Amino acid sequence: MPLPNAAPSPAAYPRLRRFHDARSGTCSYLIGDALLPQAALIDPVREDVSLYLGVLDELGYRLVYVLETHLHADHVSAGAALRELAGAAVACPRGSGVLGADLLLADGDRLPFGTGDIEVLATPGHSAACVTYRWQERLFTGDALLIGDCGRCDEAGGNSGQLYDSISRKLLPLPDELLVYPGHDRGERWVSCIGEERRRNPLLRGISRDEFIGRSRQKSEALPPAMAHNLAANRRCGLSD
Ligand SMILES: [Fe+2]
């Protein structure tokens, strides 16, 4: 007996896809509304544009926004390419030094998105202007709060005291159950929650502001390859000469 012709169920829309760029270790995220075919990409990487477009096409989503958490030093943004190819508006934190963004975001802004919105929380410190995006019960923290770790502060305009303040005053007081999706994974882990980070993050639990600053100064990680090129391109939403 043939199945009845049922209209596609809105609940069939997936709501979150993660992408991992092995070259830079960057985690990018596609979020999609459950009822309307609208999607946003958070921190997309230029080399993966065709992948994003294929997934958007497969899922039937229109790309509304490219949302940058900060000016990236370790990869080139797909913002300009996705604006041209998919018509997305590129949104960056105000003060990040990006020229040509369609939207400059500040703390407390709310972006209309599908049947709801996306809230902007200023979380500077990894660089001079960083934001976290809150969408429903999810936080996209960029390189501010990582899983059991925090972002470095020595790339471009970072300030470890400011990062400590952002995390301890803005993020950790949020409800335990809010999920944390960072800009870089840690091994097999790619999602955490506020409660876990508050209780277990070794860089934060029981650590004073001064201790945090001291530990941050002692870190000695190699700077990302092509950092100057990446920063220059990202100041133009991912366009390079
Ligand atoms: Fe970063």
Side-chain angles (χ1 to χ4, degrees):
M1 186 175 154
L3 291 170
N5 281 332
S9 163
Y13 285 122
R15 307 176 105 190
L16 173 67
R17 288 278 178 102
R18 184 188 77 124
F19 303 90
H20 184 256
D21 177 61
R23 290 155 294 219
S24 62
T26 299
C27 297
S28 309
Y29 302 93
L30 182 149
I31 58 176
D33 191 73
L35 296 176
L36 297 176
Q38 295 185 8
L41 273 163
I42 300 166
D43 291 339
V45 174
R46 190 168 69 181
E47 285 83 353
D48 293 333
V49 165
S50 55
L51 172 63
Y52 305 137
L53 293 174
V55 172
L56 287 162
D57 188 49
E58 175 193 327
L59 300 177
Y61 278 125
R62 181 172 68 84
L63 186 64
V64 181
Y65 301 118
V66 167
L67 303 174
E68 301 289 0
T69 56
H70 63 288
L71 182 73
H72 303 283
D74 56 2
H75 69 269
V76 175
S77 164
L82 289 168
R83 175 165 56 196
E84 183 183 337
L85 297 170
V90 179
C92 297
R94 185 179 297 280
S96 58
V98 177
L99 301 173
D102 301 289
L103 298 163
L104 292 175
L105 304 174
D107 189 53
D109 285 350
R110 286 180 178 271
L111 292 168
F113 179 61
T115 51
D117 60 19
I118 298 166
E119 183 183 358
V120 178
L121 293 82
T123 49
H126 166 63
S127 68
C130 302
V131 295
T132 288
Y133 295 103
R134 179 176 179 171
W135 178 61
Q136 301 174 350
E137 74 276 20
R138 302 172 177 95
L139 297 164
F140 299 91
T141 55
D143 292 354
L145 178 60
L146 305 174
I147 299 173
D149 199 355
C150 305
R152 62 194 296 170
C153 299
D154 58 348
E155 286 176 341
N159 180 311
S160 51
Q162 197 176 37
L163 180 61
Y164 183 87
D165 294 341
S166 292
I167 295 172
S168 60
R169 295 178 188 171
K170 200 62 120 346
L171 296 178
L172 295 188
L174 292 169
D176 278 17
E177 62 273 19
L178 285 190
L179 296 167
V180 173
Y181 295 89
H184 292 277
D185 56 352
R186 282 293 175 266
E188 300 295 308
R189 295 283 312 276
W190 59 277
V191 60
S192 179
C193 67
I194 287 295
E196 178 176 342
E197 294 308 314
R198 191 190 308 114
R199 284 190 285 272
R200 296 192 189 160
N201 189 314
L203 297 188
L204 301 166
R205 184 170 179 265
I207 302 294
S208 71
R209 191 176 192 273
D210 286 345
E211 286 173 309
F212 184 87
I213 293 169
R215 289 181 181 205
S216 180
R217 286 196 181 127
Q218 285 166 13
K219 273 188 181 177
S220 60
E221 297 172 70
L223 291 170
M227 183 171 100
H229 167 267
N230 296 339
L231 289 170
N234 289 332
R235 288 193 183 97
R236 303 172 62 210
C237 299
L239 285 174
S240 50
D241 297 327

